[in-house]
Amino acid sequence: MNQKYFEKLESSQISTNKHKVVIPLADNEAVCIAIKEALEKRIIYSATLIGNPESIKNTFGSLVDSSKIVIIEAISEEEALLKSINEIKTKKADIIMKGMCQSASLIKAVLDKQKGLDHSFLSHITGFQLPDKDYICFLTDSAVNISPDDETIIKEIDNIFELLFKLNNDKKNSIYNKNKVALLSANEKISDKMPSTKLAEAVVQKLREKTDIIVEGPVAFDLAVSQNSVKIKGYKGKIQGDATIFVAPRIETANALYKSLQHYVKADMGGLLYGASCPIAHPSRADNAKTKYNSLLLALSQINHNSLIP
């Protein structure tokens, strides 16, 4: 049986931590289940729920009576996001967890020059474990960068490696010491008629001198995950069904893949908005409670540097 890495990550969290989470538009049953579990397991210290107080109380039930729960009223999505960011700025919270707000609205609020957060390059990172794999993989970018050029894709890859550094704890024998980055497309032939193949070619050329990672593309998803597909198609690349990082050429590809992992594969997964001055757990609004909880675990690990990698 493959080891469940989100379970391992959960067990590595410090039970006495004092991390406080703020959730804009928290009125959601899956959010409630995730927060209840995080409080019970002492993964977080407290949660601030922002939105309609009556709706939040109806959803969270008796949990709102806990001293670890704070409710702040907001009558609009914009107000909820602004108040969430203010909680971070005033150090009343140190993690944002996306509730029922739109991704575009959250990103806009974070990037706001006057009212937003300090940030570097923002991208969305998904951590996921396929049922037949004994390691966790990463996907980018299903929420932020719509049509990335080669330089943007390189920044997306850099963000994943920055996250990996925090999760890996410098373990020398990890599979992630020689990461295999798959630049996804429909096939492996460079063609002017398929822009994603040209994009992958440009990225590979710019990263060709890196010796600590393998960046390959264009490559089809089946070749990146299936040794059987590699054998049948006679693929001779360095990636042989064992990619650890998947880079989509456009947001539509990554978003569809993310939601396929959630709804069809039932993968263990979680999402982050990465690059802001505080960790941001960023699941989809329709994600189940487990994915929302896993997203919170990944966000916490940015602070705790708990090991996710063997």
Side-chain angles (χ1 to χ4, degrees):
M1 182 181 292
N2 292 333
Q3 186 178 18
K4 300 293 185 181
Y5 280 101
F6 282 102
E7 291 178 5
K8 178 185 176 184
L9 181 59
E10 177 190 74
S11 66
S12 71
Q13 300 296 328
I14 302 170
S15 63
T16 57
N17 77 67
K18 297 294 183 181
H19 299 311
K20 301 176 181 179
V21 180
V22 60
I23 305 134
L25 299 188
D27 179 16
N28 173 260
E29 184 178 357
V31 169
C32 172
I33 294 170
I35 291 300
K36 182 179 180 181
E37 184 173 1
L39 287 169
E40 287 177 348
K41 294 181 177 179
R42 302 183 70 187
I43 299 300
I44 61 173
Y45 178 75
S46 67
T48 299
L49 315 176
I50 299 183
N52 183 300
E54 289 305 312
S55 295
I56 290 172
K57 289 175 183 177
N58 288 336
T59 300
F60 281 74
S62 60
L63 186 60
V64 300
D65 297 327
S66 167
S67 61
K68 305 298 184 182
I69 293 289
V70 175
I71 298 176
I72 297 177
E73 183 177 12
I75 62 174
S76 68
E77 180 183 64
E78 182 180 4
E79 183 182 4
L81 288 166
L82 184 60
K83 287 185 174 181
S84 296
I85 288 174
N86 187 61
E87 290 291 293
I88 298 294
K89 288 184 170 181
T90 57
K91 302 189 184 305
K92 295 177 182 176
D94 45 19
I95 296 172
I96 295 175
M97 179 178 178
K98 180 187 170 194
M100 294 302 290
C101 56
Q102 299 268 356
S103 292
S105 301
L106 173 57
I107 294 163
K108 181 180 178 181
V110 170
L111 294 176
D112 188 283
K113 292 181 179 179
Q114 280 75 43
K115 301 175 182 178
L117 296 172
D118 291 337
H119 62 274
S120 54
F121 172 78
L122 285 187
S123 63
H124 188 271
I125 301 173
T126 305
F128 66 96
Q129 185 178 9
L130 294 171
D132 63 338
K133 303 295 184 183
D134 60 359
Y135 52 88
I136 198 160
C137 299
F138 296 89
L139 166 70
T140 193
D141 177 337
S142 66
V144 182
N145 298 291
I146 296 172
S147 181
D149 58 14
D150 53 351
E151 292 293 340
T152 301
I153 282 182
I154 290 170
K155 291 178 182 177
E156 291 175 354
I157 294 171
D158 286 343
N159 269 5
I160 291 180
F161 278 102
E162 190 173 304
L163 174 63
L164 272 171
F165 179 79
K166 294 174 181 178
L167 298 177
N168 193 26
N169 283 352
D170 299 323
K171 295 196 174 181
K172 294 181 180 179
N173 295 322
S174 168
I175 183 176
Y176 298 89
N177 286 343
K178 195 71 172 179
N179 280 275
K180 294 188 175 183
V181 181
L183 305 173
L184 299 177
S185 187
N187 59 48
E188 295 68 58
K189 294 182 179 180
I190 309 297
S191 171
D192 290 335
K193 294 181 179 180
M194 193 177 296
S196 60
T197 65
K198 299 291 288 184
L199 179 61
E201 180 186 39
V203 173
V204 168
Q205 285 299 312
K206 288 190 175 180
L207 296 179
R208 66 185 181 277
E209 309 223 342
K210 280 189 169 284
T211 59
D212 55 337
I213 60 173
I214 293 168
V215 181
E216 198 159 273
V219 61
F221 184 75
D222 60 336
L223 298 177
V225 299
S226 169
Q227 292 182 356
N228 190 49
S229 292
V230 168
K231 181 179 179 180
I232 292 171
K233 293 184 175 181
Y235 182 62
K236 303 300 183 183
K238 293 180 180 179
I239 291 176
Q240 295 282 298
D242 56 353
T244 51
I245 294 171
F246 299 82
V247 181
R250 285 184 57 91
I251 196 172
E252 300 96 321
T253 306
N255 192 273
L257 182 51
Y258 177 102
K259 289 169 182 175
S260 296
L261 289 167
Q262 169 72 254
H263 296 285
Y264 282 105
V265 181
K266 310 298 183 184
D268 283 342
M269 57 188 290
L272 292 173
L273 181 60
Y274 193 89
S277 57
C278 75
I280 302 176
H282 191 291
S284 173
R285 285 172 294 159
D287 281 348
N288 58 35
K290 180 62 175 173
T291 298
K292 292 180 188 292
Y293 181 74
N294 288 344
S295 300
L296 184 55
L297 288 176
L298 283 174
L300 282 163
S301 289
Q302 290 181 248
I303 300 174
N304 293 337
H305 290 200
N306 297 123
S307 179
L308 177 63
I309 310 303

